[in-house]
Each structure stands twice: as C-alpha cells, then as structure tokens.
mmCIF file of all heavy atoms in Angstrom:
data_model
loop_
_atom_site.group_PDB
_atom_site.id
_atom_site.type_symbol
_atom_site.label_atom_id
_atom_site.label_comp_id
_atom_site.label_asym_id
_atom_site.label_seq_id
_atom_site.Cartn_x
_atom_site.Cartn_y
_atom_site.Cartn_z
ATOM 1 N N HIS A 9 14.351 25.067 -41.455
ATOM 2 C CA HIS A 9 13.506 24.756 -40.313
ATOM 3 C C HIS A 9 14.213 24.974 -39.008
ATOM 4 O O HIS A 9 13.940 24.274 -38.007
ATOM 5 C CB HIS A 9 13.021 23.303 -40.405
ATOM 6 C CG HIS A 9 12.401 22.924 -41.715
ATOM 7 N ND1 HIS A 9 11.111 23.400 -41.979
ATOM 8 C CD2 HIS A 9 12.786 22.272 -42.764
ATOM 9 C CE1 HIS A 9 10.749 22.965 -43.196
ATOM 10 N NE2 HIS A 9 11.790 22.291 -43.678
ATOM 11 N N SER A 10 15.122 25.962 -38.942
ATOM 12 C CA SER A 10 15.880 26.247 -37.773
ATOM 13 C C SER A 10 16.405 27.666 -37.876
ATOM 14 O O SER A 10 17.010 28.007 -38.940
ATOM 15 C CB SER A 10 17.059 25.276 -37.653
ATOM 16 O OG SER A 10 18.034 25.696 -36.759
ATOM 17 N N PHE A 11 16.292 28.404 -36.799
ATOM 18 C CA PHE A 11 16.813 29.747 -36.746
ATOM 19 C C PHE A 11 18.361 29.681 -36.679
ATOM 20 O O PHE A 11 19.037 30.520 -37.335
ATOM 21 C CB PHE A 11 16.248 30.537 -35.577
ATOM 22 C CG PHE A 11 14.867 31.089 -35.797
ATOM 23 C CD1 PHE A 11 13.783 30.203 -35.740
ATOM 24 C CD2 PHE A 11 14.672 32.371 -36.053
ATOM 25 C CE1 PHE A 11 12.484 30.685 -35.948
ATOM 26 C CE2 PHE A 11 13.334 32.880 -36.258
ATOM 27 C CZ PHE A 11 12.267 32.022 -36.172
ATOM 28 N N VAL A 12 18.913 28.736 -36.007
ATOM 29 C CA VAL A 12 20.300 28.617 -35.873
ATOM 30 C C VAL A 12 20.941 28.235 -37.213
ATOM 31 O O VAL A 12 21.933 28.861 -37.651
ATOM 32 C CB VAL A 12 20.711 27.549 -34.815
ATOM 33 C CG1 VAL A 12 22.236 27.295 -34.748
ATOM 34 C CG2 VAL A 12 20.219 28.019 -33.416
ATOM 35 N N ALA A 13 20.419 27.244 -37.864
ATOM 36 C CA ALA A 13 20.947 26.804 -39.146
ATOM 37 C C ALA A 13 20.764 27.966 -40.208
ATOM 38 O O ALA A 13 21.751 28.216 -41.060
ATOM 39 C CB ALA A 13 20.258 25.582 -39.659
ATOM 40 N N ALA A 14 19.693 28.612 -40.190
ATOM 41 C CA ALA A 14 19.449 29.726 -41.136
ATOM 42 C C ALA A 14 20.439 30.826 -40.929
ATOM 43 O O ALA A 14 21.009 31.414 -41.835
ATOM 44 C CB ALA A 14 18.019 30.229 -41.054
ATOM 45 N N ALA A 15 20.707 31.163 -39.652
ATOM 46 C CA ALA A 15 21.678 32.212 -39.341
ATOM 47 C C ALA A 15 23.099 31.815 -39.812
ATOM 48 O O ALA A 15 23.766 32.641 -40.437
ATOM 49 C CB ALA A 15 21.706 32.460 -37.799
ATOM 50 N N GLU A 16 23.423 30.561 -39.655
ATOM 51 C CA GLU A 16 24.726 30.117 -40.147
ATOM 52 C C GLU A 16 24.842 30.235 -41.660
ATOM 53 O O GLU A 16 25.832 30.702 -42.228
ATOM 54 C CB GLU A 16 24.988 28.687 -39.737
ATOM 55 C CG GLU A 16 25.254 28.495 -38.266
ATOM 56 C CD GLU A 16 25.337 27.052 -37.804
ATOM 57 O OE1 GLU A 16 25.263 26.168 -38.639
ATOM 58 O OE2 GLU A 16 25.500 26.832 -36.592
ATOM 59 N N LYS A 17 23.774 29.847 -42.358
ATOM 60 C CA LYS A 17 23.760 29.902 -43.824
ATOM 61 C C LYS A 17 23.759 31.348 -44.355
ATOM 62 O O LYS A 17 24.199 31.628 -45.481
ATOM 63 C CB LYS A 17 22.574 29.141 -44.375
ATOM 64 C CG LYS A 17 22.590 27.711 -44.064
ATOM 65 C CD LYS A 17 23.693 26.995 -44.741
ATOM 66 C CE LYS A 17 23.647 25.502 -44.473
ATOM 67 N NZ LYS A 17 24.694 24.703 -45.088
ATOM 68 N N CYS A 18 23.181 32.258 -43.543
ATOM 69 C CA CYS A 18 23.124 33.677 -43.919
ATOM 70 C C CYS A 18 24.368 34.502 -43.386
ATOM 71 O O CYS A 18 24.433 35.698 -43.621
ATOM 72 C CB CYS A 18 21.812 34.306 -43.444
ATOM 73 S SG CYS A 18 20.387 33.674 -44.204
ATOM 74 N N TYR A 19 25.237 33.776 -42.664
ATOM 75 C CA TYR A 19 26.485 34.395 -42.133
ATOM 76 C C TYR A 19 26.158 35.554 -41.183
ATOM 77 O O TYR A 19 26.798 36.598 -41.223
ATOM 78 C CB TYR A 19 27.389 34.883 -43.290
ATOM 79 C CG TYR A 19 27.740 33.793 -44.208
ATOM 80 C CD1 TYR A 19 27.147 33.693 -45.459
ATOM 81 C CD2 TYR A 19 28.672 32.778 -43.852
ATOM 82 C CE1 TYR A 19 27.525 32.677 -46.334
ATOM 83 C CE2 TYR A 19 28.993 31.760 -44.748
ATOM 84 C CZ TYR A 19 28.433 31.677 -45.963
ATOM 85 O OH TYR A 19 28.735 30.641 -46.826
ATOM 86 N N VAL A 20 25.108 35.362 -40.286
ATOM 87 C CA VAL A 20 24.825 36.286 -39.255
ATOM 88 C C VAL A 20 24.593 35.537 -37.976
ATOM 89 O O VAL A 20 24.532 34.333 -37.995
ATOM 90 C CB VAL A 20 23.563 37.123 -39.570
ATOM 91 C CG1 VAL A 20 23.729 37.999 -40.835
ATOM 92 C CG2 VAL A 20 22.347 36.209 -39.714
ATOM 93 N N THR A 21 24.544 36.244 -36.876
ATOM 94 C CA THR A 21 24.281 35.613 -35.587
ATOM 95 C C THR A 21 22.745 35.266 -35.526
ATOM 96 O O THR A 21 21.941 35.907 -36.148
ATOM 97 C CB THR A 21 24.731 36.458 -34.415
ATOM 98 O OG1 THR A 21 23.862 37.630 -34.429
ATOM 99 C CG2 THR A 21 26.127 36.821 -34.489
ATOM 100 N N GLN A 22 22.484 34.300 -34.705
ATOM 101 C CA GLN A 22 21.090 33.905 -34.528
ATOM 102 C C GLN A 22 20.278 34.989 -33.935
ATOM 103 O O GLN A 22 19.153 35.258 -34.409
ATOM 104 C CB GLN A 22 21.022 32.561 -33.675
ATOM 105 C CG GLN A 22 19.617 32.059 -33.469
ATOM 106 C CD GLN A 22 18.935 32.664 -32.320
ATOM 107 O OE1 GLN A 22 19.563 32.921 -31.288
ATOM 108 N NE2 GLN A 22 17.617 32.894 -32.396
ATOM 109 N N PRO A 23 20.790 35.813 -32.987
ATOM 110 C CA PRO A 23 19.944 36.902 -32.446
ATOM 111 C C PRO A 23 19.645 37.966 -33.492
ATOM 112 O O PRO A 23 18.562 38.521 -33.550
ATOM 113 C CB PRO A 23 20.800 37.432 -31.276
ATOM 114 C CG PRO A 23 21.629 36.310 -30.892
ATOM 115 C CD PRO A 23 21.895 35.539 -32.113
ATOM 116 N N THR A 24 20.612 38.188 -34.415
ATOM 117 C CA THR A 24 20.432 39.174 -35.492
ATOM 118 C C THR A 24 19.286 38.696 -36.378
ATOM 119 O O THR A 24 18.381 39.391 -36.739
ATOM 120 C CB THR A 24 21.716 39.383 -36.250
ATOM 121 O OG1 THR A 24 22.656 39.963 -35.350
ATOM 122 C CG2 THR A 24 21.492 40.351 -37.444
ATOM 123 N N LEU A 25 19.367 37.458 -36.809
ATOM 124 C CA LEU A 25 18.346 36.898 -37.703
ATOM 125 C C LEU A 25 16.987 36.885 -37.034
ATOM 126 O O LEU A 25 15.990 37.315 -37.635
ATOM 127 C CB LEU A 25 18.782 35.442 -38.073
ATOM 128 C CG LEU A 25 17.811 34.731 -39.008
ATOM 129 C CD1 LEU A 25 18.558 34.151 -40.202
ATOM 130 C CD2 LEU A 25 16.979 33.700 -38.293
ATOM 131 N N SER A 26 16.945 36.459 -35.791
ATOM 132 C CA SER A 26 15.674 36.463 -35.050
ATOM 133 C C SER A 26 15.065 37.831 -34.915
ATOM 134 O O SER A 26 13.782 38.017 -35.100
ATOM 135 C CB SER A 26 15.866 35.842 -33.683
ATOM 136 O OG SER A 26 16.185 34.480 -33.752
ATOM 137 N N MET A 27 15.884 38.844 -34.656
ATOM 138 C CA MET A 27 15.440 40.158 -34.510
ATOM 139 C C MET A 27 14.811 40.706 -35.823
ATOM 140 O O MET A 27 13.787 41.314 -35.822
ATOM 141 C CB MET A 27 16.499 41.102 -34.011
ATOM 142 C CG MET A 27 16.118 42.544 -33.851
ATOM 143 S SD MET A 27 17.455 43.627 -33.304
ATOM 144 C CE MET A 27 18.485 43.522 -34.792
ATOM 145 N N GLN A 28 15.504 40.441 -36.943
ATOM 146 C CA GLN A 28 14.937 40.910 -38.201
ATOM 147 C C GLN A 28 13.685 40.185 -38.581
ATOM 148 O O GLN A 28 12.780 40.819 -39.174
ATOM 149 C CB GLN A 28 16.037 40.668 -39.308
ATOM 150 C CG GLN A 28 17.208 41.617 -39.082
ATOM 151 C CD GLN A 28 16.819 43.104 -39.201
ATOM 152 O OE1 GLN A 28 16.018 43.507 -40.065
ATOM 153 N NE2 GLN A 28 17.306 43.878 -38.265
ATOM 154 N N ILE A 29 13.574 38.892 -38.292
ATOM 155 C CA ILE A 29 12.324 38.219 -38.575
ATOM 156 C C ILE A 29 11.166 38.723 -37.679
ATOM 157 O O ILE A 29 10.055 38.892 -38.181
ATOM 158 C CB ILE A 29 12.512 36.700 -38.454
ATOM 159 C CG1 ILE A 29 13.390 36.237 -39.618
ATOM 160 C CG2 ILE A 29 11.111 35.966 -38.458
ATOM 161 C CD1 ILE A 29 13.675 34.727 -39.618
ATOM 162 N N GLN A 30 11.532 39.001 -36.412
ATOM 163 C CA GLN A 30 10.511 39.568 -35.507
ATOM 164 C C GLN A 30 10.048 40.930 -36.020
ATOM 165 O O GLN A 30 8.787 41.228 -36.002
ATOM 166 C CB GLN A 30 11.064 39.742 -34.130
ATOM 167 C CG GLN A 30 10.064 40.228 -33.157
ATOM 168 C CD GLN A 30 10.610 40.263 -31.729
ATOM 169 O OE1 GLN A 30 11.800 39.995 -31.474
ATOM 170 N NE2 GLN A 30 9.789 40.637 -30.762
ATOM 171 N N LYS A 31 10.951 41.715 -36.536
ATOM 172 C CA LYS A 31 10.561 43.066 -37.083
ATOM 173 C C LYS A 31 9.653 42.874 -38.297
ATOM 174 O O LYS A 31 8.653 43.588 -38.472
ATOM 175 C CB LYS A 31 11.793 43.864 -37.468
ATOM 176 C CG LYS A 31 12.471 44.461 -36.297
ATOM 177 C CD LYS A 31 13.720 45.304 -36.819
ATOM 178 C CE LYS A 31 14.458 45.949 -35.623
ATOM 179 N NZ LYS A 31 15.552 46.723 -36.133
ATOM 180 N N LEU A 32 9.953 41.903 -39.132
ATOM 181 C CA LEU A 32 9.115 41.623 -40.345
ATOM 182 C C LEU A 32 7.735 41.171 -39.867
ATOM 183 O O LEU A 32 6.714 41.645 -40.444
ATOM 184 C CB LEU A 32 9.798 40.555 -41.162
ATOM 185 C CG LEU A 32 9.054 40.058 -42.430
ATOM 186 C CD1 LEU A 32 8.776 41.220 -43.426
ATOM 187 C CD2 LEU A 32 9.799 39.002 -43.104
ATOM 188 N N GLU A 33 7.679 40.257 -38.873
ATOM 189 C CA GLU A 33 6.380 39.807 -38.401
ATOM 190 C C GLU A 33 5.599 40.931 -37.832
ATOM 191 O O GLU A 33 4.405 41.030 -38.062
ATOM 192 C CB GLU A 33 6.624 38.698 -37.377
ATOM 193 C CG GLU A 33 7.097 37.390 -37.922
ATOM 194 C CD GLU A 33 7.449 36.328 -36.902
ATOM 195 O OE1 GLU A 33 7.891 36.753 -35.803
ATOM 196 O OE2 GLU A 33 7.271 35.185 -37.227
ATOM 197 N N GLU A 34 6.220 41.805 -37.114
ATOM 198 C CA GLU A 34 5.514 43.015 -36.528
ATOM 199 C C GLU A 34 4.977 43.881 -37.598
ATOM 200 O O GLU A 34 3.867 44.382 -37.545
ATOM 201 C CB GLU A 34 6.453 43.777 -35.598
ATOM 202 C CG GLU A 34 6.753 43.064 -34.297
ATOM 203 C CD GLU A 34 7.845 43.758 -33.508
ATOM 204 O OE1 GLU A 34 8.299 44.856 -33.897
ATOM 205 O OE2 GLU A 34 8.190 43.216 -32.426
ATOM 206 N N GLU A 35 5.733 44.097 -38.662
ATOM 207 C CA GLU A 35 5.303 44.936 -39.798
ATOM 208 C C GLU A 35 4.151 44.320 -40.493
ATOM 209 O O GLU A 35 3.178 44.991 -40.894
ATOM 210 C CB GLU A 35 6.445 45.183 -40.761
ATOM 211 C CG GLU A 35 6.096 46.137 -41.895
ATOM 212 C CD GLU A 35 7.307 46.427 -42.774
ATOM 213 O OE1 GLU A 35 8.445 46.229 -42.373
ATOM 214 O OE2 GLU A 35 6.981 46.848 -43.922
ATOM 215 N N LEU A 36 4.181 43.000 -40.647
ATOM 216 C CA LEU A 36 3.093 42.249 -41.391
ATOM 217 C C LEU A 36 1.935 42.025 -40.459
ATOM 218 O O LEU A 36 0.841 41.798 -40.975
ATOM 219 C CB LEU A 36 3.613 40.945 -41.918
ATOM 220 C CG LEU A 36 4.702 41.026 -42.982
ATOM 221 C CD1 LEU A 36 5.253 39.623 -43.292
ATOM 222 C CD2 LEU A 36 4.120 41.658 -44.275
ATOM 223 N N GLY A 37 2.154 42.027 -39.189
ATOM 224 C CA GLY A 37 1.089 41.805 -38.237
ATOM 225 C C GLY A 37 0.644 40.294 -38.127
ATOM 226 O O GLY A 37 -0.434 39.988 -37.765
ATOM 227 N N ILE A 38 1.588 39.456 -38.495
ATOM 228 C CA ILE A 38 1.371 37.993 -38.369
ATOM 229 C C ILE A 38 2.610 37.268 -37.945
ATOM 230 O O ILE A 38 3.696 37.843 -37.958
ATOM 231 C CB ILE A 38 0.930 37.387 -39.779
ATOM 232 C CG1 ILE A 38 2.105 37.581 -40.782
ATOM 233 C CG2 ILE A 38 -0.307 37.980 -40.275
ATOM 234 C CD1 ILE A 38 1.910 36.720 -42.044
ATOM 235 N N LYS A 39 2.492 36.047 -37.461
ATOM 236 C CA LYS A 39 3.632 35.226 -37.115
ATOM 237 C C LYS A 39 3.923 34.342 -38.297
ATOM 238 O O LYS A 39 2.988 33.626 -38.851
ATOM 239 C CB LYS A 39 3.299 34.320 -35.882
ATOM 240 C CG LYS A 39 3.237 35.130 -34.640
ATOM 241 C CD LYS A 39 4.598 35.608 -34.233
ATOM 242 C CE LYS A 39 4.585 36.380 -32.894
ATOM 243 N NZ LYS A 39 5.861 36.993 -32.623
ATOM 244 N N LEU A 40 5.124 34.356 -38.783
ATOM 245 C CA LEU A 40 5.552 33.528 -39.979
ATOM 246 C C LEU A 40 5.852 32.075 -39.508
ATOM 247 O O LEU A 40 5.681 31.210 -40.293
ATOM 248 C CB LEU A 40 6.709 34.121 -40.637
ATOM 249 C CG LEU A 40 6.462 35.511 -41.318
ATOM 250 C CD1 LEU A 40 7.789 36.085 -41.807
ATOM 251 C CD2 LEU A 40 5.490 35.347 -42.493
ATOM 252 N N PHE A 41 6.413 31.979 -38.278
ATOM 253 C CA PHE A 41 6.862 30.670 -37.826
ATOM 254 C C PHE A 41 6.273 30.265 -36.505
ATOM 255 O O PHE A 41 6.111 31.104 -35.628
ATOM 256 C CB PHE A 41 8.437 30.718 -37.754
ATOM 257 C CG PHE A 41 9.096 31.050 -39.025
ATOM 258 C CD1 PHE A 41 9.556 32.346 -39.288
ATOM 259 C CD2 PHE A 41 9.277 30.121 -40.032
ATOM 260 C CE1 PHE A 41 10.116 32.672 -40.506
ATOM 261 C CE2 PHE A 41 9.799 30.406 -41.255
ATOM 262 C CZ PHE A 41 10.285 31.719 -41.473
ATOM 263 N N ASP A 42 6.055 28.955 -36.398
ATOM 264 C CA ASP A 42 5.658 28.385 -35.089
ATOM 265 C C ASP A 42 6.952 28.033 -34.328
ATOM 266 O O ASP A 42 7.600 27.047 -34.758
ATOM 267 C CB ASP A 42 4.804 27.166 -35.348
ATOM 268 C CG ASP A 42 4.313 26.541 -33.988
ATOM 269 O OD1 ASP A 42 4.772 27.001 -32.938
ATOM 270 O OD2 ASP A 42 3.503 25.637 -34.102
ATOM 271 N N ARG A 43 7.265 28.805 -33.399
ATOM 272 C CA ARG A 43 8.553 28.593 -32.645
ATOM 273 C C ARG A 43 8.448 27.548 -31.560
ATOM 274 O O ARG A 43 9.424 27.188 -30.947
ATOM 275 C CB ARG A 43 9.051 29.921 -32.087
ATOM 276 C CG ARG A 43 9.445 30.951 -33.137
ATOM 277 C CD ARG A 43 9.548 32.331 -32.587
ATOM 278 N NE ARG A 43 10.113 33.275 -33.483
ATOM 279 C CZ ARG A 43 9.399 33.925 -34.416
ATOM 280 N NH1 ARG A 43 8.107 33.638 -34.607
ATOM 281 N NH2 ARG A 43 9.976 34.862 -35.131
ATOM 282 N N ASN A 44 7.245 27.057 -31.326
ATOM 283 C CA ASN A 44 7.013 26.075 -30.258
ATOM 284 C C ASN A 44 7.365 24.688 -30.697
ATOM 285 O O ASN A 44 7.529 23.755 -29.910
ATOM 286 C CB ASN A 44 5.590 26.091 -29.799
ATOM 287 C CG ASN A 44 5.207 27.441 -29.143
ATOM 288 O OD1 ASN A 44 6.016 28.018 -28.453
ATOM 289 N ND2 ASN A 44 4.028 27.919 -29.404
ATOM 290 N N ASN A 45 7.450 24.420 -32.001
ATOM 291 C CA ASN A 45 7.768 23.143 -32.543
ATOM 292 C C ASN A 45 9.197 23.086 -32.985
ATOM 293 O O ASN A 45 9.796 24.056 -33.386
ATOM 294 C CB ASN A 45 6.858 22.793 -33.766
ATOM 295 C CG ASN A 45 5.445 22.617 -33.341
ATOM 296 O OD1 ASN A 45 5.117 22.171 -32.321
ATOM 297 N ND2 ASN A 45 4.556 22.929 -34.285
ATOM 298 N N ARG A 46 9.795 21.943 -32.844
ATOM 299 C CA ARG A 46 11.127 21.658 -33.380
ATOM 300 C C ARG A 46 10.982 20.508 -34.384
ATOM 301 O O ARG A 46 10.442 19.464 -33.960
ATOM 302 C CB ARG A 46 12.144 21.292 -32.300
ATOM 303 C CG ARG A 46 12.396 22.484 -31.331
ATOM 304 C CD ARG A 46 13.154 23.600 -32.006
ATOM 305 N NE ARG A 46 13.485 24.635 -31.042
ATOM 306 C CZ ARG A 46 12.787 25.710 -30.839
ATOM 307 N NH1 ARG A 46 11.706 25.946 -31.463
ATOM 308 N NH2 ARG A 46 13.235 26.654 -29.984
ATOM 309 N N PRO A 47 11.333 20.589 -35.569
ATOM 310 C CA PRO A 47 11.904 21.839 -36.228
ATOM 311 C C PRO A 47 10.857 22.925 -36.340
ATOM 312 O O PRO A 47 9.688 22.684 -36.342
ATOM 313 C CB PRO A 47 12.335 21.323 -37.600
ATOM 314 C CG PRO A 47 11.496 20.146 -37.856
ATOM 315 C CD PRO A 47 11.174 19.554 -36.532
ATOM 316 N N ASN A 48 11.382 24.145 -36.508
ATOM 317 C CA ASN A 48 10.484 25.332 -36.671
ATOM 318 C C ASN A 48 9.687 25.108 -37.962
ATOM 319 O O ASN A 48 10.229 24.698 -39.040
ATOM 320 C CB ASN A 48 11.256 26.624 -36.752
ATOM 321 C CG ASN A 48 11.976 26.938 -35.471
ATOM 322 O OD1 ASN A 48 13.163 26.913 -35.463
ATOM 323 N ND2 ASN A 48 11.257 27.122 -34.449
ATOM 324 N N THR A 49 8.446 25.448 -37.924
ATOM 325 C CA THR A 49 7.538 25.270 -39.074
ATOM 326 C C THR A 49 6.885 26.629 -39.432
ATOM 327 O O THR A 49 6.764 27.504 -38.614
ATOM 328 C CB THR A 49 6.410 24.257 -38.813
ATOM 329 O OG1 THR A 49 5.670 24.685 -37.711
ATOM 330 C CG2 THR A 49 6.934 22.875 -38.588
ATOM 331 N N VAL A 50 6.584 26.772 -40.725
ATOM 332 C CA VAL A 50 5.948 27.956 -41.190
ATOM 333 C C VAL A 50 4.496 27.868 -40.847
ATOM 334 O O VAL A 50 3.866 26.790 -40.932
ATOM 335 C CB VAL A 50 6.074 28.099 -42.763
ATOM 336 C CG1 VAL A 50 5.350 29.282 -43.281
ATOM 337 C CG2 VAL A 50 7.538 28.142 -43.144
ATOM 338 N N THR A 51 3.968 28.960 -40.312
ATOM 339 C CA THR A 51 2.460 28.961 -39.990
ATOM 340 C C THR A 51 1.654 28.900 -41.248
ATOM 341 O O THR A 51 2.148 29.298 -42.333
ATOM 342 C CB THR A 51 2.118 30.184 -39.174
ATOM 343 O OG1 THR A 51 2.361 31.368 -39.973
ATOM 344 C CG2 THR A 51 2.907 30.274 -37.845
ATOM 345 N N ALA A 52 0.415 28.534 -41.100
ATOM 346 C CA ALA A 52 -0.484 28.485 -42.220
ATOM 347 C C ALA A 52 -0.628 29.861 -42.877
ATOM 348 O O ALA A 52 -0.665 30.000 -44.103
ATOM 349 C CB ALA A 52 -1.846 27.947 -41.827
ATOM 350 N N ILE A 53 -0.760 30.900 -42.081
ATOM 351 C CA ILE A 53 -0.876 32.271 -42.589
ATOM 352 C C ILE A 53 0.483 32.777 -43.157
ATOM 353 O O ILE A 53 0.501 33.637 -44.035
ATOM 354 C CB ILE A 53 -1.381 33.213 -41.501
ATOM 355 C CG1 ILE A 53 -1.942 34.522 -42.165
ATOM 356 C CG2 ILE A 53 -0.394 33.573 -40.485
ATOM 357 C CD1 ILE A 53 -2.791 35.378 -41.294
#
C-alpha cells in the first residue's frame, strides 16, 4: 500500500518503480492505484 515501501522491497528507487507502473497503466489504459489516498489503494478496475 505504498510506492516507497514497494520500491524498497523490490530493491529499486521509488521513481523507477513509479515510472514502470505508469507505463503499465498506460499500456492497459487504466489506473491501477488511487494515488490520492494514503495508504495507496488498488482501484476497482
């Protein structure tokens, strides 16, 4: 439920992780995460 924590667990920087998720979302044409809430939540779609 956190981009920062996920990046740490994946051994990458947070910007790298965010960029890759953004690319995935663009390819799928949907938003996977609601970034306005803390903790980050998965969208219904």
Side-chain angles (χ1 to χ4, degrees):
H9 306 286
S10 165
F11 282 75
V12 173
E16 289 174 3
K17 298 294 182 179
C18 293
Y19 304 104
V20 296
T21 64
Q22 183 271 326
T24 297
L25 181 131
S26 293
M27 182 182 64
Q28 289 301 315
I29 290 179
Q30 184 177 3
K31 285 182 179 182
L32 176 61
E33 289 175 328
E34 288 172 2
E35 184 176 340
L36 294 172
I38 63 167
K39 290 290 182 189
L40 295 172
F41 301 100
D42 182 354
R43 292 165 174 82
N44 296 323
N45 292 330
R46 295 290 185 265
N48 296 116
T49 56
V50 178
T51 62
I53 197 166

